[in-house]
Amino acid sequence: MVAELQVEIIGGDEFRAMLKGKNRKILQQVDMEVFRQAIFLSGEVMASIAGKREEKKSWKTGHFQRSVTPEKSGRMQATVSTAVPYSVYLEYGTSKIAPRYHFRNSLARNKDVIQREISKRIKAVVEGKS
């Protein structure tokens, strides 16, 4: 003889819909937070270029500094870059110029802060505070 047990979960469809909605909200909030952190990082790179961080100042006309832009580059992806052609020489150096690593060092200095802010955003959404 086989015993059979039937369980009916009342509200299961609503619960699945709620979870799906929560997941969508988390993804939207993380997407926005990633871009906010790119804006923050671009400010840090600009401060580095201006000589307000550890790296040697790379500022004469301000063109390089003003060219630093954050861009949304995909879902939950952002890029901080510059279109100034000589930026690669300032970042990595040449035979006559020592590397200044404005982008690399700014990211390394702020990586933990950026990760913490994104985690805080996720936690706020999960807890219903956002």
Side-chain angles (χ1 to χ4, degrees):
M1 177 173 205
V2 175
E4 186 175 304
L5 174 68
Q6 285 188 335
V7 177
E8 181 181 352
I9 300 175
I10 300 172
D13 291 336
E14 293 86 4
F15 183 70
R16 275 193 293 281
M18 184 271 305
L19 287 177
K20 190 174 183 179
K22 185 75 83 171
N23 185 47
R24 190 176 3 227
K25 186 170 183 178
I26 289 170
L27 294 175
Q28 288 171 339
Q29 291 291 316
V30 169
D31 191 42
M32 289 187 325
E33 189 62 36
V34 165
F35 186 64
R36 271 193 281 264
Q37 293 307 311
I39 294 168
F40 163 74
L41 184 60
S42 67
E44 288 296 304
V45 171
M46 288 188 265
S48 173
I49 291 167
K52 296 180 180 178
R53 298 296 183 265
E54 298 170 19
E55 297 76 36
K56 185 175 179 183
K57 181 173 147 179
S58 295
W59 194 85
K60 285 187 182 180
T61 64
H63 182 65
F64 178 39
Q65 182 185 26
R66 287 190 307 274
S67 73
V68 175
T69 55
E71 263 185 79
K72 190 163 171 26
S73 54
R75 188 171 185 203
M76 293 183 282
Q77 294 179 351
T79 305
V80 177
S81 63
T82 177
V84 172
Y86 56 84
S87 63
V88 70
Y89 306 121
L90 294 170
E91 184 74 10
Y92 296 106
T94 67
S95 61
K96 297 179 182 180
I97 301 171
R100 299 190 182 164
Y101 299 126
H102 297 297
F103 287 86
R104 296 172 96 190
N105 289 351
S106 294
L107 178 59
R109 262 193 306 274
N110 293 288
K111 187 176 180 179
D112 291 341
V113 171
I114 291 168
Q115 288 175 335
R116 189 170 42 251
E117 290 302 312
I118 292 170
S119 294
K120 279 172 38 179
R121 175 64 57 153
I122 293 169
K123 184 177 179 186
V125 175
V126 169
E127 292 176 349
K129 298 177 182 175
S130 178

